[in-house]
Amino acid sequence: MPCILLLLSLSLVLGTVKAEDEYVEGEVLVIFKPNISADRANTALGKHALRIAEHYDRISSYDHRVNGLVREKGRSTAQLIASLKTDPDVETVEPNYIRKVSATPPNDPNFSKLWGLQNTGQVVNGTTGTSGTDTNFLAAWQLAKSSTDEVVVGVVDTGVDITHPDLAANIWLNPAELAGNGVDDDGDGYIDDINGYDFANNTAMIKDSGDHGTHVAGTIAAVGKNSIGVIGVAYRAKILPLKVSSDGNSITTSATLAAYNYAITLKQRGVNIVALNASFGGGSYSSTEAAAITTLGNEGIIFCAAAGNGDTNGNGVNNDTKPLYPASYTNPNIISVAALTQNNTLASFSNYGATSVDIATPGTNIYSTMPVSMANTITSVSVGTTAYATQQLTYSGATPLAGITHPIYSCGIGNTGQFPSGVWGNIALIQRGTSTFAQKVTNAMNAGAVAAIIYDNVTESLGTGWTLGSSGNWIPAFQVTLATGNAILASLPATGTVINANDSTQAYQYLDGTSMATPHVSGAVAFAALNFPTDTMAQRISRILDHKTAVATLAGKMTTGGRLNLLGIVDTDGDTLPDWWETDYFGNMTQSASGDPDHDGFTNLQEFLSGNSPSSASSHLAFSSFGRGVDPYENSIMLTFPTIEDTSYQIQWSNNLSTWSTLGATILGTGAPAQVIDDNALVTSPKRFYRLGLISP
């Protein structure tokens, strides 16, 4: 077994150090010339009234040079370098540079379209943006607290497609209600409200009556880092669908009042609803609605309301002189939201108001989820490797996107008695004949078939008018030509695949409006609640409004004169340390990123990034264990170290401490207490050294 030296370096220097890099003021790293002993090094430093604060003895031993950290807070780094660089015993003196973990974009494939989360000046929907005009999403989530608390945002809107693969996992689930039993199990006055309720039609069916609510929901909390579609501002939050429109457009106040009342009921029952999103408005004041919003505030629920999309000509209106409700109510729990463009200007259609509108957020070319039923339909029939032209019969049933793959059985012209027993659970092949398509498919269903392929009885191209007559619980049914039917018939026995499904990978769209801006703020409220669960409602509002990014062109247009800044929510004092972390460890926010209160050689920022305690010298980035690996000849090494979620680590190895190589790929932390890496390369050297670090930009 080779000898192992653990060289713990928080920051891996992976390239040439730039002069503009950040460094710890009052500290320098010193390397003395070869064969300068430790005693002579200390003597040399003493001449400058300095001493080694931290000696890297193992590195010094193998490098044959004394390496160490020199710290003198009474002098600047520049002064220390000037004092030591001319010393004849010193080979190198340089700042103690600060590295920062890269904020890596999530793996959601359409993240680049979400300019409101990261704007690099990219072209989105034909418009080139201005770099930096975004909500600081990546930097904010880099400082986010790991939390399993459920935080819920109610979407008061047209409904939500809860089956959307980018939303389903983040739809709120009512643990006190049993699905489909027709009973109000939790006694809240609503039957089968498993995921929310439709207050326009008095039913638990919350399917989107248009596309608006599903789009809003995606911006708030589309599932993140799932390699699908997009990511929500608060991708760890839950969505509570509160449907208040039956036609996808109009909303009655009575329906919204019922939705507010329901949210209050759930909140009082213990559901952690932190915000309601209200991306709608009208010109009439309602005392009843204003009072209801007051009650929401009394329960700690922030009400995020769209400022409105201007007049009939699409020109923004001043809400101070022409109010739009509910955004223009004066309740202290309301945040009124205007829309911002990719180029940091107020959208031309967006309402504004120096006293009645609070903040602006991205509201043009906003890419988010839409109901899967609106996506293009994929219809196909294939047998083996051969794909055939096909069309669905009108009112045909749907398949999963991957389709249905089963053996195909010939069933004549689909009369009763022509279905073999083997068709049960499989696909029926039927020729067009004397009975209707509906009768053929009904007979196939009665025989247990899970899909039906009907081929023509004359030589014609695929036509129109093949229908099952009316909607119903039909199995998937497909039309093919006579030639195709005969080809399939000749190939039997064979297995086929049929697909009749909306392409959920395309169930996304661009929309504009203050309706699209508002869910960014609702997501921000959820983000604040995830990081600061004990904050009052007023404190959450303050985190959002008092720590915005100022925008000159918005001055005088809204109370804050700025755009949403997620980073300001989590780091209100701008010291690069999250407020919650400082408070958890120190009880205050007076720490500095470069501070080292436990004197273990790791700064506060380094301790945070590596998930360690800044108040315990024994807690720092390190391998937790090592031992024999899984190589059958025991010629491998098992390295174990703790990780935190979404932080990237790297291991390097060396045989001589001069030349270092990377061991394997970058390791993305999962939060597991023990990440195990096996170095199973044959080791021919009598010694092998390892060092562990965070990836630096």
Side-chain angles (χ1 to χ4, degrees):
M1 174 67 64
C3 149
I4 300 173
L5 172 63
L6 306 184
L7 300 178
L8 306 180
S9 170
L10 184 73
S11 303
L12 298 179
V13 181
L14 303 179
T16 303
V17 177
K18 301 180 182 66
E20 64 268 22
D21 280 353
E22 296 180 59
Y23 53 85
V24 180
E25 190 62 72
E27 295 183 0
V28 290
L29 297 171
V30 181
I31 301 177
F32 288 85
K33 292 179 178 178
N35 302 318
I36 297 294
S37 67
D39 288 342
R40 182 170 168 178
N42 282 321
T43 299
L45 288 173
K47 295 176 183 178
H48 304 277
L50 299 170
R51 63 182 180 83
I52 292 180
E54 184 173 346
H55 180 212
Y56 309 120
D57 56 343
R58 296 294 183 90
I59 297 175
S60 299
S61 176
Y62 282 93
D63 195 32
H64 303 295
R65 293 171 174 81
V66 175
N67 286 250
L69 172 70
V70 172
R71 180 186 295 126
E72 176 52 65
K73 296 303 183 182
R75 282 180 264 181
S76 69
T77 296
Q79 290 172 326
L80 292 173
I81 291 175
S83 179
L84 292 173
K85 69 179 182 180
T86 59
D87 191 294
D89 290 339
V90 173
E91 181 176 281
T92 302
V93 58
E94 62 185 7
N96 182 16
Y97 291 111
I98 296 173
R99 310 293 189 211
K100 295 182 180 180
V101 175
S102 297
T104 304
N107 62 14
D108 306 83
N110 290 314
F111 182 77
S112 63
K113 296 178 180 179
L114 308 181
W115 68 266
L117 304 190
Q118 184 186 41
N119 192 342
T120 61
Q122 74 270 35
V123 177
V124 176
N125 201 26
T127 299
T128 302
T130 299
S131 182
T133 301
D134 56 44
T135 57
N136 281 322
F137 171 86
L138 291 177
W141 274 99
Q142 195 68 40
L143 301 185
K145 187 174 190 177
S146 178
S147 173
T148 58
D149 294 341
E150 183 175 87
V151 170
V152 181
V153 176
V155 175
V156 187
D157 217 292
T158 59
V160 175
D161 180 3
I162 64 174
T163 70
H164 196 293
D166 224 359
L167 294 174
N170 278 351
I171 299 298
W172 175 75
L173 178 65
N174 186 351
E177 191 79 13
L178 298 176
N181 65 354
V183 176
D184 179 16
D185 300 287
D186 57 2
D188 62 3
Y190 299 97
I191 295 173
D192 293 337
D193 54 325
I194 300 299
N195 303 114
Y197 205 74
D198 177 355
F199 301 94
N201 300 298
N202 194 29
T203 174
M205 301 297 293
I206 49 181
K207 178 181 178 181
D208 201 329
S209 58
D211 59 357
H212 195 270
T214 299
H215 196 278
V216 164
T219 297
I220 297 170
V223 179
K225 303 180 182 180
N226 60 349
S227 299
I228 297 175
V230 297
I231 186 172
V233 171
Y235 60 90
R236 292 180 182 168
K238 298 295 183 183
I239 292 294
L240 168 62
L242 303 172
K243 183 175 177 179
V244 292
S245 174
S246 59
D247 62 4
N249 182 36
S250 59
I251 296 171
T252 65
T253 301
S254 60
T256 61
L257 291 172
Y260 304 158
N261 188 72
Y262 180 76
I264 293 166
T265 299
L266 293 182
K267 181 76 170 183
Q268 292 177 341
R269 202 176 76 193
V271 178
N272 190 24
I273 302 173
V274 298
L276 294 189
N277 189 94
S279 288
F280 55 85
S284 301
Y285 180 95
S286 167
S287 299
T288 309
E289 184 174 39
I293 294 172
T294 295
T295 305
L296 289 168
N298 292 338
E299 293 295 332
I301 298 174
I302 296 173
F303 193 87
C304 304
N309 296 336
D311 57 24
T312 55
N313 295 317
N315 299 314
V317 172
N318 187 342
N319 284 358
D320 289 353
T321 57
K322 189 176 181 180
L324 182 130
Y325 301 102
S328 293
Y329 294 126
T330 58
N331 306 58
N333 61 317
I334 292 178
I335 300 178
S336 176
V337 186
L340 197 70
T341 72
Q342 286 158 260
N343 294 296
N344 215 27
T345 59
L346 188 69
S348 60
F349 58 77
S350 178
N351 290 358
Y352 54 92
T355 62
S356 58
V357 177
D358 296 307
I359 197 167
T361 67
T364 61
N365 291 328
I366 303 303
Y367 196 69
S368 187
T369 47
M370 75 176 183
V372 173
S373 61
M374 294 178 62
N376 292 333
T377 300
I378 298 175
T379 303
S380 68
V381 168
S382 60
V383 180
T385 60
T386 303
Y388 296 101
T390 186
Q391 291 181 174
Q392 63 168 309
L393 273 67
T394 305
Y395 303 117
S396 167
T399 70
L401 185 57
I404 296 173
T405 301
H406 287 290
I408 300 173
Y409 285 82
S410 175
C411 302
I413 61 171
N415 291 333
T416 303
Q418 291 186 301
F419 293 87
S421 59
V423 80
W424 186 275
N426 293 308
I427 300 172
L429 177 65
I430 306 169
Q431 187 172 30
R432 185 179 185 180
T434 55
S435 57
T436 65
F437 297 123
Q439 188 59 59
K440 293 176 186 292
V441 175
T442 297
N443 292 342
M445 293 170 63
N446 290 337
V450 295
I453 303 170
I454 303 176
Y455 64 102
D456 214 334
N457 56 359
V458 294
T459 304
E460 290 183 356
S461 301
L462 293 174
T464 59
W466 288 38
T467 178
L468 296 174
S470 61
S471 61
N473 191 27
W474 297 105
I475 59 174
F478 303 84
Q479 170 196 172
V480 297
T481 65
L482 175 61
T484 295
N486 286 333
I488 295 174
L489 190 63
S491 70
L492 300 183
T495 295
T497 298
V498 295
I499 302 174
N500 187 44
N502 294 104
D503 186 358
S504 61
T505 65
Q506 302 301 313
Y508 301 87
Q509 65 177 329
Y510 290 104
L511 291 177
D512 297 342
T514 56
S515 285
M516 285 58 256
T518 305
H520 286 83
V521 175
S522 297
V525 174
F527 178 73
L530 286 164
N531 284 282
F532 307 98
T534 62
D535 270 5
T536 65
M537 181 184 71
Q539 287 172 323
R540 285 182 188 145
I541 292 175
S542 172
R543 286 188 182 277
I544 294 169
L545 299 186
D546 296 343
H547 302 282
K548 84 298 179 184
T549 300
V551 178
T553 58
L554 299 180
K557 295 287 188 179
M558 55 203 63
T559 62
T560 65
R563 73 169 183 267
L564 176 67
N565 178 15
L566 293 170
L567 181 59
I569 291 172
V570 71
D571 180 19
T572 56
D573 55 4
D575 63 358
T576 73
L577 297 174
D579 294 356
W580 61 264
W581 188 84
E582 292 182 83
T583 303
D584 284 355
Y585 280 107
F586 304 107
N588 58 61
M589 294 192 303
T590 61
Q591 305 302 309
S592 70
S594 61
D596 180 17
D598 58 2
H599 307 293
D600 63 357
F602 291 85
T603 67
N604 282 327
L605 179 60
Q606 292 170 336
E607 299 271 28
F608 164 69
L609 292 175
S610 57
N612 301 122
S613 170
S615 57
S616 171
S618 62
S619 175
H620 50 254
L621 181 65
F623 293 111
S624 54
S625 67
F626 58 91
R628 295 173 183 244
V630 297
D631 185 273
Y633 300 102
E634 298 181 350
N635 205 10
S636 66
I637 300 164
M638 190 84 74
L639 304 165
T640 304
F641 59 98
T643 67
I644 60 175
E645 186 179 1
D646 295 337
T647 296
S648 296
Y649 300 81
Q650 191 175 81
I651 298 174
Q652 292 186 328
W653 66 270
S654 174
N655 289 332
N656 54 25
L657 286 175
S658 295
T659 303
W660 290 89
S661 300
T662 300
L663 177 63
T666 297
I667 303 154
L668 184 63
T670 62
Q675 181 82 36
V676 179
I677 301 298
D678 185 36
D679 182 8
N680 56 14
L682 293 178
V683 181
T684 57
S685 172
K687 57 185 179 291
R688 196 162 172 90
F689 309 98
Y690 294 89
R691 63 186 184 185
L692 169 68
L694 299 174
I695 295 295
S696 61

